[in-house]
Amino acid sequence: MDVDLPADLPGREELLARELAYSQDLQRSGAWRHLWRIAGQYSNLSVFDVADNDALHDLLWNLPLFPFMRIDVTPLAHHPSSID
Amino acid sequence: MDVDLPADLPGREELLARELAYSQDLQRSGAWRHLWRIAGQYSNLSVFDVADNDALHDLLWNLPLFPFMRIDVTPLAHHPSSID
Amino acid sequence: MDVDLPADLPGREELLARELAYSQDLQRSGAWRHLWRIAGQYSNLSVFDVADNDALHDLLWNLPLFPFMRIDVTPLAHHPSSID
Amino acid sequence: MDVDLPADLPGREELLARELAYSQDLQRSGAWRHLWRIAGQYSNLSVFDVADNDALHDLLWNLPLFPFMRIDVTPLAHHPSSID
Amino acid sequence: MDVDLPADLPGREELLARELAYSQDLQRSGAWRHLWRIAGQYSNLSVFDVADNDALHDLLWNLPLFPFMRIDVTPLAHHPSSID
Amino acid sequence: MDVDLPADLPGREELLARELAYSQDLQRSGAWRHLWRIAGQYSNLSVFDVADNDALHDLLWNLPLFPFMRIDVTPLAHHPSSID
Amino acid sequence: MDVDLPADLPGREELLARELAYSQDLQRSGAWRHLWRIAGQYSNLSVFDVADNDALHDLLWNLPLFPFMRIDVTPLAHHPSSID
Amino acid sequence: MDVDLPADLPGREELLARELAYSQDLQRSGAWRHLWRIAGQYSNLSVFDVADNDALHDLLWNLPLFPFMRIDVTPLAHHPSSID
Amino acid sequence: MDVDLPADLPGREELLARELAYSQDLQRSGAWRHLWRIAGQYSNLSVFDVADNDALHDLLWNLPLFPFMRIDVTPLAHHPSSID
Amino acid sequence: MDVDLPADLPGREELLARELAYSQDLQRSGAWRHLWRIAGQYSNLSVFDVADNDALHDLLWNLPLFPFMRIDVTPLAHHPSSID
């Protein structure tokens, strides 16, 4: 997920606060399993654990920053060498 | 990491067994934190937890399948919204 | 899915017959919902209806032609304007 | 089809309502055979069943959202392994 | 259409003769409307006039050089400014 | 040639009328040999028959829509298999 | 790092002065090991010597010009042939 | 070098006159050895003969149109087959 | 023009000698106006002065190394700022 | 510089020994200023300090591994913010 948020967007701080709350609620619920910053970019690498593609799209579409993001989804599966 | 392993490679099975052992040892030690299959591809998405880039390169260079792989490394950092 | 199958591959005809049977079994079961040829290419566009990414990967990994394919997966969800 | 619709476009809601009606009329007529959301994006994957390229272009050019879309067309043909 | 034909392919001359005959038959029938060489490359730009995508794919799939080609199809429609 | 013309450009209709007249004059003179719409896009595929690159550039540079276009030129030559 | 700084940005000169001071402080501290201009572009190639990815991201995120930059990070390691 | 100059830029004509004078001075001095238009684009292909990369960057950075250009530099060397 | 010539090609030296003679004949005739090496690559940047695209294609197609090359042609025109 | 060296190349060890000696001689002479491994790849990032493009090309062309490398050269200049 890459973010491109105008510096002078009206309501910018309130938007970021809502994004933070939304993200942390989902992390606590377990749907947003991992969240890393990509070093040097206003971007993140995230791993989600959801029931299906519909649930994933709803989750992402409702991100407060969604209109300012470019998102690529890579479908992940269990790896046969994984010890998990 | 994308893998392109010739079907008729001499010692193919033994090589895959060494790769499996190497990968699972590192997963148990905590250095190879996550390992997912990318659905539909002979590729994986992995997250490593190592001291520095030298340690990361050594770990990857010594993968038994390294000569048959194409690897792109994305440097990850802590995300300020992460609850971890 | 792009296919690159050597013309002189030993067992080529038998492989193609197994691919055909595998594909049609999955179409009949409903897991392989749609299968179109991309005009002018040895490629197809397919839509699958499976339980999750693990099921999708298993289905694709077991394609008899998998070692000769390059596959990109696009995760599809219900569209709010769809009448289905 | 990727959509990039300004949040503050005058008449935005009316435009989206016209897009919805246009799309569902074509779905009911059978010309717009399939419509899926691409998970995580303001994009869709659609399959059309039309007489020829002229009909396809007219259909797409008249989308109310056409000026805000980027569209790539992949020509599909019958696949010899398809059971349809 | 880009061609990559091994110099030492057995039956190379006979293959090229069949390609020439196939192409010229289709040009005479009107299905292969235009055929230009892309300067500096073993490639051509062609325009076809066929009933539908199935006919187009059959035509291309049966090119004697098809297994040695990479083909991209751009769907063309009537242009409103064209005087034809 | 891809066109990206602002919907609210002052003098938009007059500009489009000039583009149409310019294009059709050149089609009638034979310099603009072919003009097709690329299905689903505000783009065209054109073939020009001009004396040299200077004449081609002058023709394109003077398109009324030139400032709103992105143009890629592919140099075409006679194809040895062409019956023309 | 590519820079795209609007010519008419309010406070442009003050911003550039802060960028210069920030960069030179880090060069003197040794964290910003090398800084070269890429000829013909408003871009630079830099090498950093920092403890980890978190330190690297903090350093880059706090660049006064960060909101106007596009940055790609390539993780570097010791090369076995290096005499350093 | 690609140019993207706003049609309504204040001082546009004066800027273009300065660019012309700057370019022709350098052509006369021998530093700007060749200058061609890329047919169909507001772009040029240029060859420079300068002492080193610092001189090249200074020359390009001081182009009056530099802020409106995207420039890629390809380092050229003597070719062993050249008769020059 | 990028060259990829197998090290163990039978007749390699004789082929390179023919390429050299062919290139220098054309340089002397004025058709091959400029020939530079791209630093660090087995590639060149060349400028040709020929009557039309047919002549250009013939010239390139007959390069002794043509089957081992990848060539991209950029059509060049007179630049209005050029003093030539 | 990316390296793709066949595992079964005759004389592979001797070639690698010559590459090492060549590289370290140039590092000691100061022409090969920096040499880093790109983590996870059989690639390096190098900085050279040479008189001109001819010297750079000679240096690279004579790398014992040159026939097995893909090299991109980025021309670097002094950066005005650099303290060196």
Side-chain angles (χ1 to χ4, degrees), chain A residues 13-39:
Chain A
E13 291 312 308
E14 189 269 340
L15 188 69
L16 289 168
R18 282 201 292 129
E19 178 80 13
L20 176 63
Y22 182 86
S23 163
Q24 294 194 337
D25 284 351
L26 286 165
Q27 290 179 66
R28 280 185 210 103
S29 78
W32 196 322
R33 285 275 296 274
H34 302 286
L35 170 60
W36 294 282
R37 175 65 81 201
I38 296 179

Side-chain angles (χ1 to χ4, degrees), chain E residues 2-71:
Chain E
D2 302 330
V3 184
D4 184 6
L5 190 65
D8 57 354
L9 188 78
R12 190 177 191 277
E13 292 311 309
E14 189 269 339
L15 188 69
L16 288 169
R18 283 201 293 130
E19 178 80 14
L20 175 63
Y22 182 86
S23 162
Q24 294 194 337
D25 284 351
L26 286 165
Q27 290 179 66
R28 281 187 209 101
S29 79
W32 196 323
R33 287 273 296 275
H34 301 286
L35 170 60
W36 294 282
R37 175 65 82 202
I38 296 179
Q41 302 187 354
Y42 195 172
S43 306
N44 69 69
L45 180 72
S46 292
V47 177
F48 297 95
D49 183 1
V50 290
D52 54 25
N53 290 342
D54 288 344
L56 177 62
H57 185 70
D58 285 349
L59 186 160
L60 295 171
W61 185 266
N62 290 312
L63 285 164
L65 291 180
F66 182 83
F68 306 99
M69 287 176 154
R70 199 182 56 79
I71 299 177

Side-chain angles (χ1 to χ4, degrees), chain I residues 1 8-10 13 18 20 25 29 31-33 42 52 55 57 60-61 64 67 70 76 84:
Chain I
M1 300 183 196
D8 57 353
L9 188 79
E13 292 311 308
R18 282 201 293 128
L20 176 63
D25 285 351
S29 79
W32 196 322
R33 286 273 295 274
Y42 195 172
D52 55 25
H57 185 69
L60 296 171
W61 186 266
R70 200 181 57 78
L76 299 178
D84 289 339

